[in-house]
Amino acid sequence: MGFFTSVLGIIGFVIGIPIGLILGFFVLIYSQPTHQEYPPARPLVETSISVLLDLLPEIPLWMKNPDYERVDWFNKFISYMWPYLDNAVCGIIRSSAQPIFADYIGTFCIESIEFENLSLGPLPPTVHGVKFYETNEKELLFEPSIKWAGNPNIVLVLKVLSLRIRVQLVDLQFFAIVRVALKPLLPTFPCFGMVVVSLMEKPHVDFGLKVLGGDVMSIPGLYRYVQETIKRQVSSMYHWPQVLEIPILDASTASVKKPVGLLHVNIIRARNLLKKDLLGTSDPYVKLSLTGEKLPAKKTTIKKRNLNPEWNEHFKLIVKDPNSQVLQLEVFDWDKVGGHDRLGMQMIPLQKINPGEKKAFNLDLIKNSNVVMDSGDKKKRGRLELDLRYVPFREESLKSRNKSQDEYQRKESREEKSSEDDDFLSQAGLLSVAVQSAKDVEGKKKHSNPYAVVLFRGEKKKTKMLRKTRDPRWNEEFQFTVEEPPVKESIRVEVMSKGTGFHFRSKEELGHVDINLDDVVDNGRINQKYHLINSRNGIIHIEIRWTTS
């Protein structure tokens, strides 16, 4: 009897334990929790401290932090637009998931993968507050606090060995503080080039996952493991300083062309120019400029009564696109009265010049740039001799523009330049001064029409005048070509106001600032706001860059 009892006990233990585990698992998965009635609502002032501490994570940030602002209007906008946003986002998800699903078909005995249902549900995400940051850069920076407790209907069907497996995502929750930067700000609609997104902390992600009708996330230990894995993976990709860049405008549209080098032009001489004066001579000078530039053209001195002038004058032109820009050379006969007669012209594409290489040109002057019209003109207009050298800036020389530039860099690594001319070119550079804006500029007179004046080494450049404002925004940039680094030098920026009527003294200085350029030369760039001297509360925002060739 004792033997049979022992055998039956062992059999009951071996069979009963697996059956009990299986039954318990299905009861745990398919059992529905019983909902209790919620306690009556009471004002926050009547609640205890312990209850307030439990509610603190659910209180919107605009109530806890004065830096965050309410955006109820935006939440209403999202609520009205959500049905259309739902369809648009789901369409993007379907099109993006198709190639990913195609890669898995045929592996692991998977015959097909498709969405049976795809909807984000009727509940839109809400923004619980937005914090804006003021920066010196050309960007709009803000941090929204986003919470989404949605009920999406996302059902994925996998067909494995003719067996349909339904996987459903339910009860999705997502809480995160996102940093969004719209940059760079541009004058082309929608006025920014890209959207840069990053997470300021690990996001909270919670969801349920049903497979064949059972909630897999109810398995002990699996829920926490999946949640921590998702947080870790998302944080590794998008946690600041990692960012997600979403381009809005094309690179050609969004990019603002900046100077990439200097073109050194040496106008040597001209020979056998046309006779335009009554006495059988001319008073020639050369006018040179680059296409695509709004800067005024450079001019040589005027050689009176000379058909074979010698100049040997050196000029520096700012290059922004060496692949497309063309050097325009025009020879004029100066007249004291009336317009100046053009003796001839020529054009040199910068593509013909290898970076760093000094190239000599002896050009036949033509009547105009139209090849068809000029082919019928047989008159000889003389010749123009000049030397050209294109020197890219150091930050641009690191990027090989073409094969010729690569060859030039390899040549530079093999031999050192020792001539005085090369040493002079290595010290030359470009000083860019961007006058962004000013704030609280006011004078003693009633009028307030401010404009800024930039003074450097005797050169004076002015911004446009803005009428009737004490917070002007100019956003204008000026360039100064410098033969050597401006060490132990300063640049002055003055804010002036000009009256629009008849005044005895229509101009008035609203303040000025002197900026030492040592930090600009050492760091390559400064971007700061300065208090204006002789101004009560005036502030001016200036960006200065130093780029060497």
Side-chain angles (χ1 to χ4, degrees), residues 167 169-170 172-173 202-211 215-235:
V167 180
L169 181 69
V170 296
L172 176 63
Q173 295 184 10
K202 287 185 177 181
H204 171 76
V205 182
D206 189 10
F207 60 90
L209 190 65
K210 291 185 177 181
V211 179
D215 191 355
V216 179
M217 303 304 291
S218 299
I219 299 177
L222 181 61
Y223 167 77
R224 183 175 298 275
Y225 172 76
V226 172
Q227 192 178 44
E228 292 298 325
T229 302
I230 292 175
K231 285 184 179 180
R232 185 168 57 252
Q233 292 296 327
V234 174
S235 298

Side-chain angles (χ1 to χ4, degrees), residues 144-325:
S145 174
I146 302 175
K147 291 189 176 183
W148 184 31
N151 52 349
N153 183 18
I154 302 177
V155 179
L156 190 67
V157 177
L158 288 79
K159 190 174 182 181
V160 181
L161 297 176
S162 301
L163 176 65
R164 291 171 56 87
I165 301 176
R166 299 177 75 254
V167 180
Q168 184 178 6
L169 181 69
V170 296
D171 300 331
L172 176 63
Q173 295 184 10
F174 176 81
F175 307 151
I177 296 180
V178 184
R179 172 170 289 183
V180 182
L182 309 180
K183 63 179 184 180
L185 300 181
L186 302 168
T188 305
F189 189 80
C191 301
F192 56 90
M194 67 172 62
V195 179
V196 181
V197 182
S198 59
L199 298 173
M200 301 311 298
E201 58 186 26
K202 287 185 177 181
H204 171 76
V205 182
D206 189 10
F207 60 90
L209 190 65
K210 291 185 177 181
V211 179
L212 297 176
D215 191 355
V216 179
M217 303 304 291
S218 299
I219 299 177
L222 181 61
Y223 167 77
R224 183 175 298 275
Y225 172 76
V226 172
Q227 192 178 44
E228 292 298 325
T229 302
I230 292 175
K231 285 184 179 180
R232 185 168 57 252
Q233 292 296 327
V234 174
S235 298
S236 63
M237 292 188 295
Y238 304 122
H239 197 292
W240 191 86
Q242 305 293 330
V243 297
L244 170 65
E245 295 184 352
I246 305 173
I248 302 298
L249 295 177
D250 293 336
S252 57
T253 305
S255 62
V256 178
K257 291 185 178 179
K258 296 182 178 181
V260 297
L262 290 177
L263 179 66
H264 297 262
V265 183
N266 183 26
I267 305 296
I268 303 174
R269 65 179 66 88
R271 288 288 181 264
N272 303 321
L273 297 177
L274 291 179
K275 302 173 184 179
K276 286 292 184 178
D277 294 342
L278 296 176
L279 300 178
T281 61
S282 294
D283 304 323
Y285 69 91
V286 181
K287 184 178 178 181
L288 56 155
S289 62
L290 285 174
T291 57
E293 280 292 332
K294 297 181 180 180
L295 299 175
K298 306 280 188 178
K299 296 179 182 179
T300 65
T301 56
I302 301 171
K303 300 297 182 180
K304 296 292 187 68
R305 297 181 293 277
N306 196 336
L307 299 180
N308 300 287
E310 297 273 350
W311 283 290
N312 286 315
E313 296 182 14
H314 185 268
F315 301 91
K316 293 186 291 291
L317 302 178
I318 300 171
V319 179
K320 293 184 177 180
D321 189 358
N323 291 322
S324 63
Q325 284 187 294

